[in-house]
Amino acid sequence: MGKTIITQFSYQFAATNEAVARAVDGDTLTFKTQDCFSGRIVDQSDLTTSFNYDTANPATGPVFVETAQPGDILVVEILDIRVAARGVVTTLPGCGPLSDTQEIRTKPVEIIDGKALFNDLQIPIDPMVGVIGVAPAKGEVRCGFPGNHGGNMDCKQIKKGAVLYLPVQVEGALFALGDLHAVMGDGELCGTGLEICGEVDVRLTVLKGQSIQWPVLETPEKWYAIASAEQYPEALKLAAEQMQALICKAYGWDLTDAYLYMSLQSDTEICQACKPCLVDLIVRIGTPKRSDKPLISRSEA
């Protein structure tokens, strides 16, 4: 069989979305993605004087994953990310801590030899996936918003070599991804990274017998719990609870020992914080990996 390439996309994660492809456990697929503006903002004369979340951040998919059932974990290995040769970074009206003093501006940025040419700087690119997730248990979530299903997490650690664990909430998971950034700083202060189209190769497997409440990310160095809420204290609490639960189960510790350990070793980082903004603030808590006790075991995946 040839390589499965997914090109169709939608603007929301929902159980009612019709699957555009099917995958079996262990399949590798390629997702061709639009940028967050669906190609509508390409030149400096194209200004984001308004921003409609109904047509923002398209996610390619969804893919129905055989055997995935509510309560399972969908394991998503990011095998490769290839971005186009040109993207844009823009200000958005009313978005970000400095929005009241900034012009509405679109800045096209060329990429040459792996570097983004911004004014007189050459910035090494580090491609990431901004929107990635599964269908929520109820209703729909527009692709511009995060949640415990994943969605618009804008976590710059979701890149080549990382493994994302998503809580399956509907039959088949209905997995989709999009909103690539060639490079982005933590916080995404003005509301955009280097927005760009491209392709992402992933491997999908289903993990039975384990469950999580929020997305969990594995990198070569750390485990991350990712959570979101309107305000920082609630997002922090949700991410901390997820990390604490993983540590307790994997290490056989009680809640308090896990909490003490997190204070010694876990780093709290911000994925997206372009407030004021309609999108929830997104927090990740990272804990160093142990070779002997993974926080999520894939031995059965």
Side-chain angles (χ1 to χ4, degrees), residues 156-172:
K156 73 177 189 179
Q157 301 298 337
I158 302 178
K159 58 184 180 179
K160 180 179 178 179
V163 181
L164 182 64
Y165 301 82
L166 295 165
V168 177
Q169 303 181 42
V170 303
E171 182 183 5

Side-chain angles (χ1 to χ4, degrees), residues 135-275:
K138 296 181 180 179
E140 67 176 41
V141 181
R142 286 173 289 176
C143 290
F145 295 86
N148 72 342
H149 69 292
N152 188 27
M153 294 184 287
D154 276 337
C155 173
K156 73 177 189 179
Q157 301 298 337
I158 302 178
K159 58 184 180 179
K160 180 179 178 179
V163 181
L164 182 64
Y165 301 82
L166 295 165
V168 177
Q169 303 181 42
V170 303
E171 182 183 5
L174 295 179
F175 171 79
L177 66 81
D179 183 36
L180 303 186
H181 301 149
V183 65
M184 188 195 84
D186 274 338
E188 196 187 29
L189 286 182
C190 78
T192 59
L194 181 43
E195 308 293 336
I196 201 162
C197 61
E199 296 183 352
V200 183
D201 299 333
V202 305
R203 181 183 295 115
L204 301 177
T205 52
V206 178
L207 182 56
K208 303 282 187 179
Q210 299 184 61
S211 62
I212 50 177
Q213 298 301 310
W214 287 88
V216 174
L217 185 69
E218 179 185 1
T219 71
E221 296 81 25
K222 288 185 177 183
W223 290 93
Y224 291 95
I226 305 171
S228 56
E230 183 178 358
Q231 300 297 328
Y232 172 76
E234 181 63 16
L236 176 65
K237 180 178 175 63
L238 292 168
E241 287 176 339
Q242 176 65 90
M243 180 57 70
Q244 183 186 48
L246 290 170
I247 290 172
C248 286
K249 182 177 179 181
Y251 298 174
W253 296 350
D254 66 15
L255 290 172
T256 303
D257 265 4
Y259 190 33
L260 294 171
Y261 173 71
M262 289 164 62
S263 197
L264 295 176
Q265 287 282 275
S266 300
D267 295 318
T268 300
E269 303 167 6
I270 301 294
C271 298
Q272 189 197 77
C274 49
K275 293 291 187 179

